[in-house]
Amino acid sequence: MRIPGLRWLRNCCTFSLASSGRKALTLLQCKKQPVTLHKNYGDILPFVCSPGQLNQVFFNLLRNAFEAINEEGNIWINTFMDNGYAVIQIQDDGCGIPQANLSKIFDPFFTTKPIGSGTGLGLSLSYGIIEQHGGSIAVKSEIGKGTMFTVTLPITREADIKESELQNLK
Ligand SMILES: Nc1ncnc2c1ncn2[C@@H]1O[C@H](COP(=O)(O)OP(=O)(O)OP(=O)(O)O)[C@@H](O)[C@H]1O
Ligand SMILES: [Mg+2]
């Protein structure tokens, strides 16, 4: 199995979501209140990944969720294992995404935010990072009801990687 540019880190996902995720949430919550967070972190097996890049993905998704809520609302973070895949869902009950925009949101520089407040790069970068990990990112949204992003990542174990590649990753 070929995993370019990734390094092996045990418990990376636990670290990424429970620790760095917490820092991201603290930062974002300072900016915007009142948002109620509903965290449901199911166990995810450790897997080969670039934790720094995955942190960027979840920070982007959480920031978008906060920005979609105008006055008050909820954000749900669910993580679980499904069929050998790690699944991370970030859902909000914010403004929602118009059907016509759903095919554009992963394009670089696509933004609906006021000039100066969004670059339109968050989702396009996140898409590339998830793709590099062999995973996928999906979105479901309804105007006025909210949005849910689902990130699915394969649980690539150390044993799945050739010894020679492993040396390069360490
Ligand atoms: N949770 C969400 N709820 C509603 N709209 C969203 C949500 N997430 C993304 N979008 C839409 O997708 C667009 C692109 O998102 P993306 O994160 O790529 O860029 P951005 O948030 O506009 O800017 P930035 O580069 O600063 O993240 C947003 O401008 C917004 O219209
Ligand atoms: Mg964004």
Side-chain angles (χ1 to χ4, degrees):
M1 170 169 271
R2 176 112 192 89
I3 305 184
L6 301 184
R7 66 195 166 93
W8 168 249
L9 211 96
R10 264 171 224 283
N11 295 321
C12 54
C13 211
T14 318
F15 167 78
S16 159
L17 283 166
S19 170
S20 289
R22 192 165 50 232
K23 283 181 208 148
L25 288 168
T26 311
L27 264 173
L28 289 163
Q29 273 184 300
C30 291
K31 282 174 117 186
K32 197 149 195 180
Q33 287 284 12
V35 172
T36 309
L37 284 166
H38 308 269
K39 288 180 266 185
N40 184 14
Y41 293 158
D43 285 340
I44 289 179
L45 289 171
F47 60 98
V48 178
C49 74
S50 170
Q53 290 194 330
L54 287 188
N55 283 342
Q56 275 186 48
V57 171
F58 299 120
F59 187 79
N60 283 327
L61 294 178
L62 286 167
R63 188 154 64 91
N64 283 344
F66 272 83
E67 287 170 354
I69 294 168
N70 276 327
E71 283 166 13
E72 59 182 280
N74 297 276
I75 296 176
W76 293 265
I77 309 170
N78 293 318
T79 72
F80 54 94
M81 292 280 297
D82 181 30
N83 238 340
Y85 284 80
V87 183
I88 299 100
Q89 292 179 321
I90 297 186
Q91 183 177 4
D92 65 68
D93 58 1
C95 60
I97 303 172
Q99 184 71 29
N101 288 353
L102 281 176
S103 58
K104 303 179 197 156
I105 56 170
F106 295 105
D107 294 348
F109 303 113
F110 176 81
T111 183
T112 56
K113 289 169 190 168
I115 293 171
S117 73
T119 61
L121 285 174
L123 284 180
S124 110
L125 288 173
S126 301
Y127 188 94
I129 291 169
I130 297 301
E131 198 174 44
Q132 223 202 353
H133 281 76
S136 62
I137 179 165
V139 58
K140 273 190 183 166
S141 189
E142 208 176 317
I143 286 291
K145 288 207 166 167
T147 302
M148 180 165 78
F149 283 89
T150 302
V151 174
T152 306
L153 290 162
I155 301 288
T156 306
R157 312 302 304 266
E158 196 170 8
D160 300 333
I161 303 176
K162 284 190 209 133
E163 187 55 38
S164 55
E165 280 187 324
L166 207 54
Q167 290 308 318
N168 294 335
L169 296 173
K170 277 177 178 163

